[in-house]
Structures are given as C-alpha cells and as structure tokens.
C-alpha cells in the first residue's frame, strides 16, 4: 500500500525534519514495507530517509527559468526529489490552475521520469447530481493525462471531503474507485478527511491501494498509527485476493 501525507502550508523546516526522522525510525523499527511519502511545504523540502520519500506539492513544468514564485525541477533535484503531486484540488480550486496547465506539468515530469501523484475529485454540487455526473466530471480531469504512465499514482479526493471531516460512505468510495480502476490500472489512493480513526476501514476496501492524508497526518504519531493499520491489513487483503 501507499501512505502519503500532504502537509499543505503547515509545519516549518525544523518541524518537517523532526517529523521525517521520527517517521523513518518508526518505519525501520517496525519493518514497514509499504510506501511512505510526505509532501512538505516548499521551504521545508529535504532529502528523504531510508524508508520515507519526500515529494513536492507542486512544481512548474521547467528545469529552471523566469517563473516568479514557482519551484522548478532544479530545486527538486537539489534534494533528490523524484515524486511530485499534480492537480491537487487546492491548486485547481483555490489557486485556479486549469486542466491545460496541469496537463503540461504532468507531461513535463513524466518525461523526466518522476513519480506523479495525480489528484482528481469532484465538488459538492457535482456529487449531488449523482454518480454519472461525478464520473463525467472526473473524465475531464483525465484530459491530457497519460493514465498508463508507469510512474503514475492516482489520488481520488472529493473536494467536499477535504478538510471538512466528511467522507463518502465506504460503499461509495468502493464504487467510485472501481469505476476509476476501469480507466487506469495504476495504484489508486483515497484522500479527504482520512484520520487515524477511519484509516483502517478505508484501507481495507478492495479498490483502495492507499491514502493521501492532510490534517489527520500533521501529528506524526497519528500518521504512524495509520501505517501500522496498513501493515496489519496486509494479511487480510492478501487472503481476500487469493
Ligand atoms: P484532509 O485530510 O485534511 O481532508 O486533506 C486531504 C488532502 O487534501 C490531501 O491531499
């Protein structure tokens, strides 16, 4: 499974360094073999640990250049960062990034061989129109995206579930994930109000390959508890598969 923590605009450089160190020690001491990644704010980017990889929350589609306020590939290379989050709902809906720009970033980092965590998800008014409208909305977020890219990880994050404490029902997560899985065979994470109290039941779902966690992962111990849940679920999921 894949467990990813998106710090957004939280934690500073010192707190991030302490977080990564604690997390890495936890993973090593507990023999974790799931993928664990963290996405700190730009000012706190760092080299990952033995087990924990560090990714960027956003990056401009260029090696370097005149792009005021943006990070480009050179700034990621400095920390050996090889994973980038693209299309997060806050970039789409708060910052106003359009699909065209998102697809440009995707194509650039795909060409550079980066692992890309590509985020999709619908706002509440679309969800209220029903599942067909929802899937049609997601379809527009696939525009210009190579859904077969071997470095792709998809994260389904309903916009209305992010930071609200609301989540779809487990049955609905399963339904939407199985529909997304018809479009791509790449790993699929769920995100949106995942926390230590509900991570286990979400991770246990058949079409969920991991979670992308925001506020619920800001305390390193809470994130470690979710990683422990994933580990304990392995045997169970393997049994269901065979
Ligand atoms: P929350 O876990 O705070 O709802 O945020 C989810 C998210 O946006 C992760 O990228």
């Amino acid at each position: 499974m894949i467990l990813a923590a998106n710090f957004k605009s939280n934690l500073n450089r010192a707190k991030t360094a302490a977080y990564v160190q604690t997390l890495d020690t936890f993973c090593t001491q507990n023999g974790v073999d799931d993928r664990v990644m963290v996405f700190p704010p730009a000012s706190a980017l760092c080299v990952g640990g033995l087990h924990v990889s560090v990714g960027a929350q956003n990056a401009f589609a260029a090696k370097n250049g005149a792009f005021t306020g943006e990070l480009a590939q050179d700034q990621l290379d400095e920390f050996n960062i090889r994973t980038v989050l693209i299309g997060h709902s806050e970039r789409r809906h708060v910052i106003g990034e359009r699909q065209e720009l998102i697809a440009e970033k995707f194509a650039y980092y795909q060409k550079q061989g980066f692992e890309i965590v590509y985020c999709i998800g619908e706002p509440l008014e679309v969800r209220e129109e029903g599942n067909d409208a929802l899937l049609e909305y997601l379809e527009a977020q696939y525009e210009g995206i190579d859904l077969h890219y071997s470095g792709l990880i998809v994260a389904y994050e309903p916009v209305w579930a992010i930071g609200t404490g609301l989540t779809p029902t487990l049955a609905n997560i399963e339904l939407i994930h199985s529909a997304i899985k018809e479009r791509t065979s790449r790993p699929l994470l769920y995100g949106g109000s995942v926390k230590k109290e509900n991570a286990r039941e979400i991770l246990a779902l058949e079409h969920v390959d991991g979670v992308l966690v925001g506020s619920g992962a800001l305390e390193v111990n809470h994130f470690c508890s979710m990683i422990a849940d994933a580990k304990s679920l392995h045997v169970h999921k393997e049994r269901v598969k065979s």
Side-chain angles (χ1 to χ4, degrees), residues 20-241:
V20 171
Q21 196 178 8
T22 306
L23 185 61
D24 204 50
T25 304
F26 174 85
C27 292
T28 308
Q29 286 179 349
N30 290 279
V32 169
D33 52 15
D34 290 301
R35 281 293 310 284
V36 176
M37 40 178 104
V38 299
F39 294 88
S43 64
L45 288 180
C46 54
V47 175
L50 281 176
H51 192 89
V52 176
S53 23
V54 170
Q57 294 175 18
N58 173 45
F60 201 74
K63 181 157 167 51
N64 53 44
F67 308 110
T68 302
E70 292 290 308
L71 293 189
Q73 193 193 341
D74 273 357
Q75 288 79 51
L76 308 189
D77 285 347
E78 184 181 3
F79 300 103
N80 294 324
I81 288 174
R82 299 293 301 164
T83 305
V84 63
L85 208 62
I86 293 180
H88 191 277
S89 91
E90 283 139 23
R91 304 266 348 147
R92 293 178 191 268
H93 299 287
V94 181
I95 316 289
E97 262 181 36
R98 295 214 319 266
Q99 186 62 24
E100 205 183 354
L101 177 67
I102 290 167
E104 255 175 57
K105 291 181 178 185
F106 191 102
Y108 178 85
Y109 284 98
Q110 174 176 5
K111 200 161 172 220
Q112 307 309 315
F114 274 59
E115 179 174 60
I116 298 174
V117 179
Y118 183 65
C119 304
I120 56 174
E122 81 292 349
L124 187 58
E125 63 272 20
V126 173
R127 154 88 35 172
E128 283 169 346
E129 286 174 39
N131 290 330
D132 288 349
L134 192 167
L135 293 174
E136 204 176 301
Y137 186 90
L138 298 186
E139 206 56 43
Q141 297 182 328
Y142 301 144
E143 233 164 79
I145 304 299
D146 178 359
L147 292 173
H148 305 293
Y149 172 47
S150 61
L152 169 66
I153 296 168
V154 179
Y156 170 59
E157 301 199 297
V159 180
W160 53 274
I162 295 178
T164 57
L166 303 170
T167 53
T169 61
L170 296 176
N172 191 263
I173 295 175
E174 196 132 69
L175 180 88
I176 303 303
H177 272 229
S178 72
I180 298 169
K181 289 254 176 184
E182 283 175 22
R183 300 288 278 107
T184 175
S185 58
R186 300 300 307 151
L188 177 56
L189 316 184
Y190 170 79
S193 294
V194 177
K195 44 187 184 285
K196 66 177 172 34
E197 290 78 9
N198 63 7
R200 193 183 161 82
E201 60 191 17
I202 293 171
L203 286 165
L205 297 174
E206 192 189 342
H207 301 294
V208 172
D209 303 308
V211 285
L212 177 56
V213 192
S215 46
L218 289 177
E219 288 278 342
V220 67
N221 294 339
H222 294 180
F223 193 41
C224 289
S225 141
M226 298 179 216
I227 294 166
D229 281 335
K231 187 169 158 62
S232 75
L233 277 166
H234 274 304
V235 182
H236 169 77
K237 275 201 151 182
E238 285 307 314
R239 220 179 270 144
V240 173
K241 254 190 229 160

